[in-house]
Amino acid sequence: MLSKRTVMGLVTAALLSGAATAQAEDSLRIGRSIARTGMFAVATPVQQQAYDLWRDQVNAAGGLSIGGKAKRKIEFVSYDDQSEPAKAAQIYEKLISNDKVDLLLAPWGTATHIGIAPIVERHKFPLVGATASSTLIRELGLKYMWFTEKMPDDYGNDLPKLLGAVGMKRIAIIAMQLPLALETKKFLVPALQKAGMEIVFNQEYPPDIKDMTGLLTSVKSAAPDAVIGLSYPADSILYITTAREIGLQAKFQFLEIGPTEPFFITKFGENLDGIVTLGHWSPDQKAWPKARPFFDAYKAKFNEAPDYLDSVSSYVSAEILQQAVEKVGLDRAKLREAIATGTFDTINGPVRFDGPTNVGTPNGYVQIQKGVAQLVWPDQVKTSDFAPKGPWK
């Protein structure tokens, strides 16, 4: 026969086990992949931090309200996609089919979004994209993925407007052979030609490039007014290092992705000043009242400023998902309809979609000035005027 103490111990253990199971069942499980390793890994911490901040804020408020009713605490389920789109596709299949997650958040990068698009489309599982954009998703008519960032045709068509406004005439283009860069270039070249600007250099380079000396020496020889680098973070580092070493001087130097990430300021200091990059957000834009509180909360939690592109687009994607779930719950068909047709109050102002395209947020460009990213275009949202890049330090 069992002693009284043993029986009580078994009962207690059973009760604790039941409580743990109930707690696990009550959590809201949100899945995603993340590039912890591989070529994209240098860029992903700012996305992860934005997601973590959002989760912690929601959980501190009691959890995410499901259809305006019961609240559930958020639990993340994530796996390393190793910066490989095919691996990410396998992970999202696992998250949906095996892990049975309630919701999905976006991975990092355009190539990865393209890789997982068939998975979310086949399962009819809504995903608000972040740190990415692709006209391919629009052209294929896919209905379960949206982008909080602007589209490559926005980037390509609008950049010549900024170049023209600041007097640039001779343009050099270098482009990494990855989807966002190539899609941007597809629209940029004809837009430059239409604007009457001379393309004095135009060359692509592979994603695994290790040395830009020859490439940028050729750019320097072309004597451009503006260098347009359609780059990702790792090659943006390589560009700045090499351009400084060889003394590549151009009044306008643009790198597509990377310069607003905090580690760029730490690594390059004053040499980052004058670099222009993608960005349509600022904590100092008074039209977006949620922007400054997000900046302050992010900096307090992580002891660094957010990335003005990837941190923002990731947090905005989570805000949209939250507001849609609060409205209609977890039914995927209702979620898709809510995201496709709704207008969302975010740290980047009102966001709404036409197909996968964010048509609520104006496109923009930022320039690093005295270590701070300032919106310099368009006029209606800019926080500072463009300043020609000075000599390297």
Side-chain angles (χ1 to χ4, degrees):
M1 294 184 64
L2 297 176
S3 70
K4 183 177 180 181
R5 179 176 295 179
T6 302
V7 171
M8 290 303 296
L10 290 172
V11 171
T12 301
L15 289 173
L16 289 174
S17 175
T21 301
Q23 185 176 19
E25 289 175 351
D26 288 341
S27 65
L28 186 71
R29 302 174 74 243
I30 304 180
R32 67 177 290 242
S33 79
I34 179 173
R36 294 191 179 94
T37 56
M39 66 176 295
F40 299 152
V42 67
T44 60
V46 294
Q47 184 185 48
Q48 181 65 61
Q49 289 174 181
Y51 285 152
D52 287 347
L53 174 62
W54 171 73
R55 176 201 60 202
D56 293 349
Q57 288 175 330
V58 171
N59 285 349
L64 181 53
S65 173
I66 312 301
K69 299 178 182 177
K71 289 186 174 183
R72 291 165 61 182
K73 295 288 186 74
I74 293 170
E75 173 193 351
F76 285 160
V77 180
S78 66
Y79 302 95
D80 181 12
D81 61 35
Q82 302 169 17
S83 303
E84 298 177 10
K87 179 72 172 177
Q90 294 172 357
I91 289 171
Y92 277 80
E93 181 67 52
K94 179 182 187 303
L95 289 167
I96 296 168
S97 300
N98 297 347
D99 295 329
K100 306 293 185 183
V101 296
D102 300 296
L103 299 167
L104 294 173
L105 285 172
W108 190 91
T110 298
T112 314
H113 281 68
I114 293 172
I116 69 171
I119 307 301
V120 299
E121 191 74 13
R122 177 161 52 82
H123 287 282
K124 295 180 168 51
F125 205 126
L127 184 138
V128 184
T131 74
S133 67
S134 173
T135 56
L136 178 63
I137 303 299
R138 184 175 63 202
E139 290 162 4
L140 292 174
L142 304 185
K143 299 182 182 300
Y144 287 84
M145 183 178 288
W146 302 264
F147 296 109
T148 55
E149 293 184 8
K150 303 301 289 185
M151 283 288 193
D153 50 347
D154 294 312
Y155 302 147
N157 289 323
D158 286 345
L159 190 52
K161 298 174 185 176
L162 171 57
L163 291 166
V166 297
M168 302 296 114
K169 297 179 179 178
R170 294 171 52 82
I171 316 299
I173 302 171
I174 58 173
M176 180 184 267
Q177 293 167 329
L178 281 176
L180 178 63
L182 296 179
E183 285 192 39
T184 302
K185 181 182 171 182
K186 171 185 172 182
F187 297 98
L188 175 64
V189 170
L192 288 170
Q193 294 169 338
K194 184 177 180 180
M197 298 175 190
E198 182 183 3
I199 300 174
V200 298
F201 188 87
N202 184 357
Q203 187 170 320
E204 297 171 6
Y205 55 90
D208 61 351
I209 189 169
K210 297 295 190 295
D211 188 342
M212 279 190 173
T213 305
L215 177 65
L216 295 189
T217 299
S218 298
V219 170
K220 181 180 178 181
S221 298
D225 298 325
V227 180
I228 307 301
L230 303 178
S231 59
Y232 279 58
D235 48 313
S236 290
I237 294 172
L238 191 56
Y239 174 92
I240 295 172
T241 302
T242 308
R244 175 177 174 271
E245 288 173 352
I246 69 171
L248 171 56
Q249 299 294 338
K251 296 177 182 178
F252 191 108
Q253 298 191 44
F254 173 90
L255 296 171
E256 191 160 28
I257 303 176
T260 58
E261 295 219 11
F263 75 84
F264 271 77
I265 298 289
T266 303
K267 183 174 181 62
F268 294 113
E270 292 180 82
N271 281 308
L272 197 60
D273 281 346
I275 296 293
V276 180
T277 186
L278 291 184
H280 41 73
W281 180 86
S282 168
D284 299 318
Q285 175 47 253
K286 300 297 190 291
W288 306 324
K290 289 186 172 182
R292 175 55 64 176
F294 164 74
F295 179 94
D296 292 341
Y298 189 103
K299 192 167 185 180
K301 185 174 181 64
F302 301 111
N303 199 32
E304 65 182 19
D307 176 76
Y308 281 33
L309 186 67
D310 287 353
S311 297
V312 171
S313 70
S314 299
Y315 192 90
V316 167
S317 73
E319 286 183 297
I320 292 168
L321 186 63
Q322 176 182 351
Q323 291 169 34
V325 169
E326 288 174 340
K327 181 178 181 181
V328 302
L330 299 176
D331 181 273
R332 295 176 193 172
K334 292 179 180 178
L335 265 182
R336 198 214 76 81
E337 182 67 14
I339 295 169
T341 62
T343 298
F344 302 91
D345 181 22
T346 78
I347 60 170
N348 209 169
V351 172
R352 59 185 178 85
F353 297 103
D354 181 3
T357 306
N358 175 1
V359 294
T361 305
N363 188 30
Y365 296 98
V366 298
Q367 183 181 41
I368 311 302
Q369 299 179 356
K370 297 182 180 179
V372 176
Q374 298 284 358
L375 272 166
V376 295
W377 190 92
D379 287 344
Q380 63 263 36
V381 296
K382 75 178 183 180
T383 58
S384 182
D385 292 326
F386 168 82
K389 179 159 178 56
W392 299 99
K393 306 295 182 181

